Amino acid sequence: MMEKEDETRENMADDEACFYRRCLPSPPAIDFTSPDGKKLFVEAIQSGTMEGFYRLISYFQTQSEPAYCGLASLSMVLNALAIDPGRKWKGPWRWFDESMLDCCEPLEKVKATGISFGKLVCLAHCAGAKVEAFRANQSTIDEFRKHVKKCSISDDCHVISAYDRSALKQTGIGHFSPIGGYHAGRDMALMLDVARFKYPPHWVPLTLLWEAMGYVDETTGQQRGFMLISRPHREPGLLYTLSCKNESWVGIAKYLMRDVSLLLKSVDATDIQKVLSVIFTSLPPNFGEFIKWVAEVRRREDGDESISPEEKARVAIKGEVLKQVQETGLFKHVAAFLSSANSCCQNLPPLSHQDDFPDIAARVCCLGAEMLAGRSGSSDEYCCQETCIKCLKANGDKPVTVFSGTVINGKSEQGVDVLVPSSRTKPGCCCSVSSNYSGIHPASNDVLTALLLALPPETWSGIKNEKLLQEISSLVLTENLPTLLQEEVLHLRRQLYLLKRCQENKVDVDLDAPVS
């Protein structure tokens, strides 16, 4: 079975059974609230190895489903690290909840069978965290102890352990729990068990926990382990993000990470336009849904056109990233190809500079409504009416462009404002917009340029013409890019590696390594 809280087996043993908690097997565990548990807690505080405890205990939660131990542990740690999920939980609030951790595995599947170690690593990356993951056979007990100590003396990283309960004489099999602290003198770790309906928080010998992590998960055939989760160096996705909820993401990730390289080896390209033709004319279906523009969304307040300084700053950064994309040499080649008469790519992202702006506004506002509803990627039909493009300005600041619209999904309607970066062409400040208005939204040429820059450097090695290889290698060289764009490209590259490894079920490694 996968690493999960195995309540299902207990329930199957007796359909009429009704459990109120379990008696914690002690030894080997020590109840956190027992006299000995309290003594360990005080001594660990005095030794400075409970610093991570305070943030974790502030967000301690009980898993909402018997098989949600992994999701509950992760959402607890993400909230403790103050990582912004970037989408709404309930009301106007952004907050990590188990129901929002559905990027790498459908919730219904997790509810039925639990989640594997590798998939939980995938989820942590998708949620924007920095993750280092180790199977028990990829580490040693001394290294594990070192990592537990490191996270126990600070509040900027946390450890989630995947272990087999049976090693601790507890009922059930695979389980995830965050480690809340460490007692160096007794070499014991505090397990903040998210199955609080079953066992209370408890101290366990670190050596026994290490042994429990060495048990093999029968479903994957691999040992369990632990992961270190911390905040990334910067917030991910300034301008673009990749959607692994898209139904065709497996095929698209395979195309980008493997097939493009094979295609380039199979043709005798002599110029960049031929290279682009090979790549763009073979794009998988629904490719445009795979890469998304990261919209800035706020609710429209009647009679109030003010925008917070924080919102303005984010929009300004987006605009600068977009400008840097459009100033690259590669962008000029992509734009020339897409505007040529021979360009016939049906699967490109739908937004282009030739789109009518009412259509652009409608699509963007529908996207904004989905984000506000916390249902990005849902199958609900959204329809946008009363579209308007406005230009807001305050205290002499540069104008900020806003798409406004009333979005209807058959059940309700809401007003939505979406802030967008402005580039190249200044907008007119009115609701009647001409069709020649362009440049305020990342279009097909922007999107494709960024994605080509994000492809692994080895992608281009199959080009046979040496002169062409040198030329294109120079165009895509990450070190030649401005800092903001370089970070955006590296973020996209990390996402591509993540998607590829999710597909291969090889995500239980440090995914930052390949793109550094």
Side-chain angles (χ1 to χ4, degrees):
M1 300 184 70
M2 292 187 183
E3 289 103 333
K4 59 171 280 189
E5 177 56 38
D6 194 20
E7 293 294 328
T8 305
R9 178 172 294 184
E10 293 179 348
N11 292 346
M12 290 172 62
D14 185 353
D15 290 340
E16 301 299 321
C18 179
F19 300 110
Y20 178 70
R21 308 187 72 174
R22 292 288 194 187
C23 181
L24 180 71
S26 180
I30 298 175
D31 191 322
F32 180 63
T33 61
S34 68
D36 197 12
K38 293 177 182 177
K39 183 172 182 290
L40 287 169
F41 180 61
V42 172
E43 291 173 353
I45 289 177
Q46 292 172 345
S47 298
T49 54
M50 293 298 294
E51 292 303 308
F53 171 82
Y54 301 104
R55 287 193 183 275
L56 283 174
I57 202 66
S58 298
Y59 303 99
F60 198 4
Q61 67 185 76
T62 302
Q63 61 190 77
S64 61
E65 295 286 346
Y68 272 12
C69 56
L71 303 188
S73 297
L74 181 56
S75 61
M76 175 177 161
V77 167
L78 293 171
N79 287 325
L81 291 170
I83 294 177
D84 188 342
R87 59 183 175 124
K88 193 180 70 169
W89 165 59
K90 293 180 182 179
W93 301 106
R94 299 198 297 270
W95 182 258
F96 275 109
D97 178 74
E98 296 156 310
S99 63
M100 298 173 66
L101 297 174
D102 58 352
C103 176
C104 299
E105 196 82 305
L107 290 178
E108 284 304 310
K109 183 175 181 181
V110 178
K111 185 176 178 180
T113 63
I115 190 168
S116 70
F117 182 85
K119 291 288 186 179
L120 194 68
V121 175
C122 168
L123 276 176
H125 275 283
C126 282
K130 179 181 179 182
V131 190
E132 296 176 84
F134 306 88
R135 298 280 185 185
N137 59 348
Q138 297 172 327
S139 186
T140 66
I141 187 171
D142 291 334
E143 289 179 348
F144 175 54
R145 184 180 289 111
K146 179 185 69 174
H147 289 308
V148 170
K149 284 183 179 179
K150 173 186 174 183
C151 291
S152 295
I153 62 176
S154 70
D155 59 6
D156 57 5
C157 73
H158 300 289
V159 180
I160 292 179
S161 173
Y163 58 99
D164 193 307
R165 280 192 183 276
S166 63
L168 308 180
K169 300 182 180 180
Q170 299 173 4
T171 64
I173 305 180
H175 191 56
F176 290 98
S177 272
I179 295 178
Y182 177 68
H183 190 291
R186 298 271 294 272
D187 195 28
M188 299 191 81
L190 176 61
M191 308 304 294
L192 294 180
D193 197 329
V194 292
R196 293 193 287 182
F197 51 82
K198 186 176 182 180
Y199 292 120
H202 50 274
W203 295 90
V204 297
L206 191 80
T207 52
L208 188 58
L209 178 59
W210 174 256
E211 179 184 329
M213 292 191 301
Y215 280 45
V216 172
D217 175 10
E218 295 177 3
T219 302
T220 64
Q222 295 179 291
Q223 291 185 3
R224 306 172 197 277
F226 64 96
M227 60 190 79
L228 312 178
I229 302 180
S230 57
R231 287 182 62 87
H233 295 303
R234 73 166 181 87
E235 296 298 326
L238 289 173
L239 194 60
Y240 301 107
T241 187
L242 303 183
S243 174
C244 59
K245 284 187 179 182
N246 184 271
E247 61 182 10
S248 59
W249 74 264
V250 172
I252 293 173
K254 172 178 169 289
Y255 176 77
L256 293 171
M257 299 298 287
R258 191 190 73 176
D259 294 353
V260 168
S261 179
L262 295 176
L263 283 171
L264 293 177
K265 290 179 181 178
S266 67
V267 298
D268 189 15
T270 56
D271 58 51
I272 292 178
Q273 292 299 299
K274 177 60 176 178
V275 170
L276 297 180
S277 177
V278 169
I279 297 173
F280 294 163
T281 55
S282 301
L283 290 173
N286 303 321
F287 177 82
E289 293 300 312
F290 178 65
I291 184 166
K292 298 287 189 180
W293 173 58
V294 182
E296 296 290 345
V297 184
R298 70 184 181 95
R299 288 189 181 277
R300 183 166 56 209
E301 300 175 5
D302 292 339
D304 183 7
E305 293 191 343
S306 63
I307 295 178
S308 71
E310 182 184 20
E311 287 175 317
K312 288 182 182 179
R314 287 201 301 268
V315 172
I317 293 174
K318 285 177 181 292
E320 181 59 29
V321 176
L322 186 56
K323 179 183 175 184
Q324 290 178 2
V325 170
Q326 295 167 351
E327 288 177 346
T328 63
L330 183 60
F331 174 85
K332 296 176 176 61
H333 290 285
V334 172
F337 174 81
L338 295 181
S339 63
S340 68
N342 295 326
S343 176
C344 181
C345 306
Q346 300 300 318
N347 300 324
L348 297 182
L351 292 173
S352 69
H353 293 316
Q354 285 72 41
D355 286 329
D356 291 335
F357 253 62
D359 292 336
I360 292 178
R363 284 195 293 268
V364 174
C365 284
C366 285
L367 173 62
E370 290 180 6
M371 293 176 67
L372 284 172
R375 304 181 69 175
S376 180
S378 76
S379 59
D380 288 354
E381 293 294 329
Y382 284 84
C383 176
C384 187
Q385 300 179 349
E386 300 178 13
T387 314
C388 179
I389 300 175
K390 296 183 293 185
C391 179
L392 305 182
K393 188 175 181 180
N395 302 325
D397 291 338
K398 292 182 179 179
V400 176
T401 305
V402 178
F403 285 156
S404 298
T406 300
V407 178
I408 303 171
N409 69 350
K411 303 173 184 177
S412 62
E413 67 177 58
Q414 65 184 126
V416 178
D417 284 356
V418 181
L419 310 182
V420 297
S422 182
S423 68
R424 293 188 299 185
T425 308
K426 291 186 178 181
C429 301
C430 64
C431 294
S432 176
V433 183
S434 64
S435 61
N436 61 359
Y437 183 99
S438 65
I440 70 168
H441 188 284
S444 294
N445 40 18
D446 308 306
V447 168
L448 291 169
T449 300
L451 203 49
L452 290 177
L453 290 169
L455 291 178
E458 60 269 22
T459 299
W460 314 101
S461 60
I463 296 176
K464 302 170 185 176
N465 186 300
E466 284 296 325
K467 182 179 179 181
L468 176 60
L469 177 59
Q470 291 180 8
E471 183 181 4
I472 201 162
S473 296
S474 175
L475 289 172
V476 301
L477 186 63
T478 307
E479 289 79 1
N480 290 345
L481 303 176
T483 301
L484 277 176
L485 180 55
Q486 190 174 123
E487 290 180 348
E488 187 73 10
V489 166
L490 290 177
H491 167 68
L492 279 175
R493 192 174 294 169
R494 289 187 186 98
Q495 287 188 293
L496 285 173
Y497 273 106
L498 174 60
L499 294 177
K500 179 175 181 286
R501 294 186 182 186
C502 275
Q503 179 188 352
E504 298 172 344
N505 198 26
K506 295 179 180 178
V507 292
D508 49 327
V509 292
D510 181 4
L511 295 182
D512 289 332
V515 297
S516 60

